[in-house]
């Protein structure tokens, strides 16, 4: 079986810090469960996580350097 031609990229930005109030990573906006499942997840799951990240991004404020406030 060959690898997919266009794998879905990980949202990880190497800024791993959990937001206790919101229950997701302040870097990639994924929950702990989403982070743990990512490496074994199928493309449908990964696409759903990216959709969830987009929704979360709308609820977060960022400063001029791109860091969450």
């Amino acid at each position: 079986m060959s690898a997919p031609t266009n794998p879905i990229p990980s949202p990880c930005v190497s800024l791993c810090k959990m937001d206790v109030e919101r229950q997701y990573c302040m870097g990639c906006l994924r929950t702990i469960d989403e982070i743990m499942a990512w490496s074994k997840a199928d493309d449908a799951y990964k696409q759903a996580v990216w959709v969830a990240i987009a929704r979360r991004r709308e609820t977060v404020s960022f400063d001029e350097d791109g860091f969450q406030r």
Side-chain angles (χ1 to χ4, degrees), residues 14-47:
S14 298
L15 174 65
C16 304
K17 183 175 179 184
M18 293 305 291
D19 182 313
V20 177
E21 181 182 324
R22 295 184 182 108
Q23 298 292 305
Y24 54 73
C25 175
M26 293 174 66
C28 67
L29 305 179
R30 290 182 293 171
T31 66
I32 288 286
D33 290 339
E34 291 166 346
I35 293 167
M36 291 183 350
W38 188 267
S39 65
K40 292 184 171 51
D42 62 16
D43 285 352
Y45 179 86
K46 291 178 180 181
Q47 289 170 338

Side-chain angles (χ1 to χ4, degrees), residues 5-16:
T5 55
N6 293 315
I8 296 174
S10 170
C12 182
V13 295
S14 298
L15 174 65
C16 304

